[in-house]
Amino acid sequence: TKDAGASALSVGVGVTNTPNSIASNFGDSITAWAWYSGTYWHNGPDGAAVAFTVGDVLQVAVDIPGGKIWFGKNNTWSGDPAAGTGAAFSDLSGEILPVGSVNSSGIVTYHGAASNQGFAAPSGFVPWSS
């Protein structure tokens, strides 16, 4: 779960399979899948998504064996992670690591432990604590 910070329009959440520093928006990379500034990104912008504002809780659900990712805002998801349908992306591969991005002024707080999350993980998913 991620909290959108002080400048939510410049905040991104997602995953990458390249554990190195990415100088630009991580969604510009072929190795990252993101929800950034209200748009889904993978190797560049990949379509409109639900926008978010200051104080929203942003969520990420990842099915690593299935190669799928869903994004949620305040417990409303881009599809149905529990049913495995409506994923934002279905081409994830490799080792997957969580990523947060702040382009200018903003805060991204990672809440991996179940006790710190604002909402329960979707059915069949577990918190990403490490």
Side-chain angles (χ1 to χ4, degrees):
T1 306
K2 310 288 184 188
D3 295 323
S7 181
L9 294 179
S10 64
V11 173
V13 296
V15 297
T16 183
N17 63 15
T18 306
N20 61 2
S21 175
I22 300 172
S24 64
N25 176 5
F26 67 90
D28 281 338
S29 170
I30 191 74
T31 64
W33 299 264
W35 181 19
Y36 185 81
S37 298
T39 302
Y40 294 143
W41 289 72
H42 174 58
N43 201 26
D46 196 72
V50 175
F52 42 86
T53 60
V54 174
D56 284 337
V57 175
L58 309 181
Q59 300 157 280
V60 180
V62 181
D63 173 356
I64 293 174
K68 297 179 182 181
I69 186 170
W70 293 264
F71 298 103
K73 178 181 93 170
N74 302 325
N75 216 31
T76 299
W77 291 91
S78 57
D80 187 348
T85 59
F89 297 103
S90 58
D91 61 345
L92 278 68
S93 63
E95 180 181 20
I96 302 297
L97 307 166
V99 180
S101 172
V102 177
N103 191 20
S104 57
S105 63
I107 300 168
V108 174
T109 304
Y110 172 73
H111 295 287
S115 61
N116 292 336
Q117 294 188 353
F119 301 99
S123 178
F125 289 78
V126 296
W128 195 331
S129 60
S130 61

